[in-house]
Amino acid sequence: MGNANRVKAGAGAEWLLGGFGLLKKAPLALGLVGLVFAIVSVLPLLFMGAGPLLSMLAQLVLVLLTPIMLGGLVYAVREVDQGRDAHPSHLFQAFREGKALSLVAQLVPQMLGGLAAIVLLVVLIGPTAMQAMIVAMEQAQGQNPDPTLFDGFPMGRFALWFLGAIVIGVVAYTFTFLFPAQVMLEGARPFAAMKRSFQACMANIGAFIVFIVLLLIVAVAILIGAQIVGLILGIFGGEMVAAIGAQLLMMTVLMPVMMGAVYYAWRQLLGGQATTGAAPPATGIEL
């Protein structure tokens, strides 16, 4: 495992286009894989009325399953790239190959990033101001909330915390961006994979930032489309059907595209094994 390849910033757009290209190559197969991923992700919603303990247990199971299914999605897009079929069972391929625990290690930088964001919040805002804001938010949920509820709250420091939390989240993602592909497709050790992912992102920070920005734009566009479909479903099935339908549609499209982009980035930055599939489409972007 050598050093990461260096690419131009425009490569970040190529990764995303590559993800869309894979979905276009096998829309039904990858769409079905994405749909199963989405269904598993919304299952905890069904346990919300079954008591706090059961709801928390369902959420914990989902948290543990998500990195495993992300590895499965990378496996599925690699199958499509190599001319084979993708199946929903690929989401749990890590169990068959003994890589499930290694993939769960992806939660470590995410948890540390969340903890750092909480500490930063306490430092910038303070526990007293936070408690006052929680009370104000609870009161604001009622009818005709008092517009003076948030008077005196340090909005400037809260905005500073929000920016800091974004930076923390992006840094945490550098450790996990190429992680699923390395563990699932290379059999890399978890913490070695995190280190290589971080080094590759830092060496190509321009391409990584371009990818993040474009991914957010695409996610918002897909979300808007999914919300429109959800509103239509809500006319016939109610508010809950609308919310679940919109989330299912969004994840069905977004997750295969996102993990397809990760797969192409892994190939380009870390020299992932060459495949019979086409290279990511050129964009002509030179940054």
Side-chain angles (χ1 to χ4, degrees), residues 121-142:
L121 180 64
V122 173
V123 170
L124 290 178
I125 307 299
T128 302
M130 282 304 305
Q131 185 175 4
M133 183 179 183
I134 293 173
V135 172
M137 290 179 65
E138 291 176 349
Q139 295 177 359
Q141 291 177 0

Side-chain angles (χ1 to χ4, degrees), residues 242-273:
I244 293 178
Q247 185 170 349
L248 288 177
L249 180 59
M250 178 182 177
M251 296 183 70
T252 296
V253 177
L254 182 61
M255 296 312 298
V257 170
M258 180 177 173
M259 298 316 293
V262 168
Y263 168 74
Y264 273 125
W266 165 73
R267 285 179 53 187
Q268 196 173 71
L269 298 183
L270 298 182
Q273 184 177 0

Side-chain angles (χ1 to χ4, degrees), residues 26-105:
L28 294 179
L30 283 180
L32 182 58
V33 175
L35 177 61
V36 173
F37 184 103
I39 291 173
V40 174
S41 298
V42 302
L43 281 179
L45 294 176
L46 303 179
F47 294 90
M48 291 183 63
L53 182 59
L54 191 57
S55 178
M56 288 180 60
L57 181 60
Q59 291 285 351
L60 177 60
V61 171
L62 176 61
V63 167
L64 296 175
L65 274 180
T66 296
I68 295 172
M69 292 193 296
L70 291 177
L73 264 172
V74 169
Y75 185 93
V77 298
R78 196 271 302 271
E79 292 297 285
V80 170
D81 186 47
Q82 293 187 339
R84 296 185 289 270
D85 293 331
H87 303 284
S89 62
H90 288 154
L91 287 173
F92 306 101
Q93 183 70 19
F95 288 110
R96 291 186 284 272
E97 297 187 8
K99 298 174 180 176
L101 287 179
S102 295
L103 287 168
V104 170

